[in-house]
Amino acid sequence: MLLISISGIAQENSLWFLLQRTQENYPLAVNSTLIDSITRLKEKNSQIMWYPQVNLVGQSTYQSAVTKLTLPTQFQSALPNLSKDQHKIYLDISQILYDGGAISSQKELTEANGISQQAQQILNMHDLKAQITSAYFAILFANASLQQQESLAKVLQKRLGDVNAGIMSGTIIKSSQSTIKVQLLQVNQQIEEINTAKSYAIQVLSQLSGVAISDSAKFSIPDSIPIYNGSMPELSLIDAQINQQGALEKLTKVNRRPQLAAFGQAGYGKPGLNMLGTSWDTYYLVGARLSWNLWDWNKTKHDRQVIRLTQSQLQAQKSAVMTNMTLKIDQQNLNIQKLSNQIASDQQIVNLRSQISGETLVALKSGTVRESDYVSDLNNEYQARVELEKHKLQLQQAKVLKVIISGY
């Protein structure tokens, strides 16, 4: 059970686990579900256009003239006295019979818009991965630096004990003690600064990933780098926007097609359908309506030109993104090669610095060098060790960033 618990803790604090949790827990992550819900509702609204449309209409008017009939004088008195105010309320029902493909094209455009928004959402969330990686490696570097500083403090404490004993016996001057104490204070200051930076990086990880991480949590170096062969989020977004423009162009075309609908009215008015009536009456009528925009002053033509120019812009943007991605990956490859070479040199520097500080300690005990010389050489040795660990971590970070740049 203990082994399982330790394994679980290590997994929870791995870089890949935190990257995954960020995609799930970051406040913007909910947008993916919201976009999908909005798209489905809009598609339902598009489909509703095929259902009968029912409207209740009321109307009251006053008109300047009414229907008149010219009859012989003896019959004029038989004509009703028509009122100039007219009123009606009716139920209007219409049903589309043929729309030229406008409704299906609108549905396709809605779907394309949803895919484009989802691609933008993925890109927004992908940008967080570099922040998570930077904070994660900041913690790893802080841990490595703390380990070296604490090791240096132990060496200095041991040396301080030897110096105190030498002062008591009269073989070492008291200023050597002050030199060691000053260096110990500086080491403690650096430890405090490192702990502060580490706490902030942990706070960043906790806020972005939604995972509660304590300052004592363990973090492992990501030694296994996945291989990613998928598409970059930037390219997926541009492809979705190109398809979106294509769907918009299709809708623009079909909007010029004729549309046929059946309709009916049932109402109550004064007058009804008898324009010579003077009383309220019920009425109904049924029919078919054909509408066709024969001439739109080249509006559709201009809209299609705008769409094609926009698609050309997106294609140019896509080429630029691919070029920038290649440059970034090449930069990471060069960085990886540079760090690999630096690590080999760092190891040699550490060995030489360790040898120098060891020889200085021997010389110090023989009285040929001062305490400050030894402290300086010892500090240089541990600084070299810090540089070695930093470059090792930067090498792994460069490998991770290369995969992230590729679209992981």
Side-chain angles (χ1 to χ4, degrees):
M1 291 177 62
L2 179 61
L3 290 175
I4 293 174
S5 176
I6 294 175
S7 175
I9 293 174
Q11 181 183 5
E12 289 182 1
N13 291 329
S14 71
L15 174 61
W16 312 116
F17 176 80
L18 292 173
L19 286 173
Q20 178 184 354
R21 292 302 298 271
T22 300
Q23 300 298 305
E24 298 170 355
N25 295 335
Y26 191 70
L28 285 179
V30 71
N31 280 352
S32 180
T33 302
L34 295 177
I35 290 171
D36 186 66
S37 298
I38 291 171
T39 301
R40 299 286 82 81
L41 289 173
K42 287 184 176 180
E43 288 178 347
K44 287 182 178 180
N45 282 342
S46 297
Q47 195 64 28
I48 286 173
M49 296 303 296
W50 280 113
Y51 300 165
Q53 306 297 307
V54 181
N55 295 290
L56 181 65
V57 182
Q59 179 179 310
S60 292
T61 62
Y62 180 86
Q63 54 197 58
S64 60
V66 294
T67 303
K68 290 184 178 181
L69 293 177
T70 302
L71 297 175
T73 305
Q74 61 271 28
F75 297 110
Q76 287 291 338
S77 60
L79 292 176
N81 187 18
L82 301 181
S83 175
K84 292 184 178 180
D85 62 299
Q86 298 186 1
H87 315 276
K88 61 181 176 180
I89 181 170
Y90 62 91
L91 197 66
D92 184 88
I93 303 175
S94 63
Q95 170 66 56
I96 293 178
L97 301 177
Y98 174 74
D99 70 338
I103 295 177
S104 61
S105 296
Q106 180 62 53
K107 186 176 180 181
E108 291 178 13
L109 178 60
T110 300
E111 184 71 23
N113 289 339
I115 294 174
S116 178
Q117 291 176 12
Q118 288 286 13
Q120 181 66 63
Q121 167 71 6
I122 292 173
L123 176 59
N124 293 339
M125 296 299 294
H126 182 265
D127 292 340
L128 294 171
K129 293 183 177 180
Q131 290 180 255
I132 290 290
T133 301
S134 177
Y136 192 89
F137 276 91
I139 295 171
L140 292 177
F141 178 66
N143 288 338
S145 299
L146 283 173
Q147 184 179 2
Q148 295 300 325
Q149 293 299 325
E150 289 169 356
S151 179
L152 174 58
K154 289 180 181 179
V155 174
L156 290 172
Q157 286 287 359
K158 183 179 181 302
R159 179 56 192 166
L160 182 60
D162 295 339
V163 168
N164 289 335
I167 293 174
M168 294 293 294
S169 63
T171 58
I172 298 178
I173 60 176
K174 194 171 183 180
S175 61
S176 297
Q177 182 188 59
S178 299
T179 301
I180 300 294
K181 287 184 176 180
V182 167
Q183 186 62 33
L184 274 172
L185 288 173
Q186 291 176 345
V187 169
N188 289 332
Q189 284 180 337
Q190 292 180 3
I191 290 175
E192 185 177 354
E193 290 178 1
I194 294 170
N195 279 324
T196 301
K198 177 183 176 181
S199 296
Y200 176 73
I202 290 176
Q203 183 180 357
V204 171
L205 280 185
S206 297
Q207 291 290 335
L208 294 180
S209 66
V211 178
I213 305 174
S214 65
D215 288 347
S216 60
K218 304 296 182 182
F219 296 87
S220 58
I221 300 175
D223 53 354
S224 178
I225 310 299
I227 298 175
Y228 180 75
N229 296 320
S231 176
M232 290 179 59
E234 292 92 337
L235 296 179
S236 298
L237 173 59
I238 294 174
D239 288 337
Q241 290 173 336
I242 292 174
N243 293 334
Q244 183 181 10
Q245 292 297 315
L248 181 60
E249 182 179 14
K250 182 179 179 181
L251 179 61
T252 303
K253 290 179 182 178
V254 300
N255 279 338
R256 288 294 311 280
R257 296 175 183 173
Q259 295 188 357
L260 179 64
F263 71 93
Q265 289 183 8
Y268 184 62
K270 176 189 176 183
L273 294 182
N274 180 11
M275 299 304 298
L276 298 178
T278 58
S279 61
W280 288 85
D281 195 9
T282 59
Y283 69 92
Y284 76 90
L285 58 89
V286 294
R289 182 185 298 113
L290 176 69
S291 61
W292 192 355
N293 186 1
L294 297 177
W295 180 252
D296 66 350
W297 302 97
N298 289 326
K299 179 182 181 300
T300 301
K301 179 182 177 181
H302 295 158
D303 288 341
R304 292 173 63 184
Q305 288 176 343
V306 170
I307 290 171
R308 290 170 182 171
L309 291 173
T310 302
Q311 288 178 324
S312 298
Q313 283 183 324
L314 292 171
Q315 288 290 354
Q317 184 179 348
K318 182 177 180 179
S319 298
V321 168
M322 294 178 66
T323 300
N324 290 336
M325 181 192 72
T326 301
L327 291 174
K328 289 180 180 179
I329 291 178
D330 289 342
Q331 182 184 19
Q332 290 301 322
N333 286 331
L334 290 174
N335 196 27
I336 290 171
Q337 183 62 46
K338 180 194 72 173
L339 289 168
S340 299
N341 296 334
Q342 285 182 333
I343 289 171
S345 299
D346 286 340
Q347 189 61 63
Q348 295 179 13
I349 293 172
V350 168
N351 294 337
L352 291 172
R353 288 293 185 187
S354 178
Q355 181 181 349
I356 291 171
S357 61
E359 293 174 352
T360 305
L361 180 59
V362 173
L364 176 63
K365 291 179 179 179
S366 65
T368 57
V369 297
R370 296 175 300 175
E371 192 73 41
S372 59
D373 295 326
Y374 170 66
V375 170
S376 177
D377 289 341
L378 186 64
N379 187 61
N380 289 336
E381 175 192 344
Y382 278 87
Q383 184 60 40
R385 294 182 185 275
V386 170
E387 286 296 309
L388 173 61
E389 295 302 319
K390 180 180 74 172
H391 290 154
K392 286 181 178 179
L393 292 172
Q394 286 178 339
L395 176 60
Q396 292 303 105
Q397 185 177 7
K399 292 178 180 179
V400 172
L401 289 177
K402 178 182 175 181
V403 176
I404 292 177
I405 290 171
S406 301
Y408 174 81

